[in-house]
Amino acid sequence: GMLYLEGKPVGPLAWQIAPLTSVASGCWHITAKVDRRAAAMVEVCDEAWSISDLIVRLDAAAIASRLGLPPGSAGGVFETTIERLQIDASRLSASGEIIWRSASAGLGVSLPLGTVFLNLSPERQHTRIHARNEAGAIAIALTANLDRQLNYQVSGTLGAVSGGPALEQLGII
């Protein structure tokens, strides 16, 4: 088939359902691949979903445009490896890593961020996200907690790096 997002084609979608496993467990077990950019194992049990072995490679500019951000507001490539993502009526839990290679971001001023690493780990009632970067114009060290309702708390630091611009010079914060 073809996968569409908001009416725009994302790419060819191939899936395989394991009927004997599904009948035995009472849950749907699906292996899915989108073009050569994404692959995952999906399990659907009543109102609970889990995705494992999710591997995605996406262009940051394409993601930014889908989110309604201005052209040029993001650059680089996202490489995602999610070991497990669980979604049900009371919980959102994720574990894995997102790497944003050759990252750049900005609204009006493009800011090179180097390589950004996001590590996701499940906690009791939320998912914890640790963000850090290497070789960017600013140093990033952030921790975010994300709950099922997508409420979040962020703490950490953004700092100038040696030889880089001061944050005040960038006019973004």
Side-chain angles (χ1 to χ4, degrees), residues 92-96 119-124 126-130 144-145:
L92 170 67
S93 173
S95 62
N119 290 304
L120 292 78
S121 58
E123 299 289 329
R124 293 185 71 194
H126 62 271
T127 296
R128 178 162 290 166
I129 304 165
H130 292 285
N145 293 319

Side-chain angles (χ1 to χ4, degrees), residues 97-113:
E97 181 176 58
I98 301 169
I99 300 174
W100 184 7
R101 297 195 188 279
S102 302
S104 67
L107 299 174
V109 175
S110 182
L111 182 62
L113 300 174

Side-chain angles (χ1 to χ4, degrees), residues 72-76 100-116 132-140 158-167 170 172:
S73 60
W100 184 7
R101 297 195 188 279
S102 302
S104 67
L107 299 174
V109 175
S110 182
L111 182 62
L113 300 174
T115 299
V116 178
R132 65 178 179 80
N133 71 326
E134 292 177 355
I138 63 171
I140 299 171
L158 298 174
V161 296
S162 177
L167 293 179
L170 297 172
I172 60 171

Side-chain angles (χ1 to χ4, degrees), residues 4-163:
Y4 288 86
L5 180 62
E6 295 182 357
K8 297 178 182 174
V10 175
L13 173 67
W15 66 90
Q16 181 178 15
I17 297 173
L20 293 178
T21 305
S22 298
V23 169
S25 70
C27 300
W28 288 94
H29 295 271
I30 304 162
T31 302
K33 291 183 182 179
V34 178
D35 204 2
R36 279 170 254 160
R37 294 179 288 179
M41 297 289 297
V42 180
E43 182 180 89
V44 181
C45 300
D46 296 323
E47 295 181 19
W49 287 67
S50 69
I51 299 171
S52 57
D53 303 326
L54 174 64
I55 298 170
V56 180
R57 182 177 168 86
L58 296 171
D59 181 68
I63 293 172
S65 70
R66 299 247 188 225
L67 295 174
L69 296 172
S73 60
V77 175
F78 284 102
E79 295 176 358
T80 304
T81 304
I82 303 296
E83 296 155 6
R84 189 138 178 96
L85 172 66
Q86 292 180 290
I87 303 168
D88 62 38
S90 63
R91 190 161 188 239
L92 170 67
S93 173
S95 62
E97 181 176 58
I98 301 169
I99 300 174
W100 184 7
R101 297 195 188 279
S102 302
S104 67
L107 299 174
V109 175
S110 182
L111 182 62
L113 300 174
T115 299
V116 178
F117 299 90
L118 297 136
N119 290 304
L120 292 78
S121 58
E123 299 289 329
R124 293 185 71 194
Q125 295 297 319
H126 62 271
T127 296
R128 178 162 290 166
I129 304 165
H130 292 285
R132 65 178 179 80
N133 71 326
E134 292 177 355
I138 63 171
I140 299 171
L142 300 172
T143 298
N145 293 319
L146 179 67
D147 71 15
R148 171 73 174 106
Q149 290 75 34
L150 301 181
N151 297 314
Y152 60 90
Q153 291 179 324
V154 178
S155 62
T157 60
L158 298 174
V161 296
S162 177

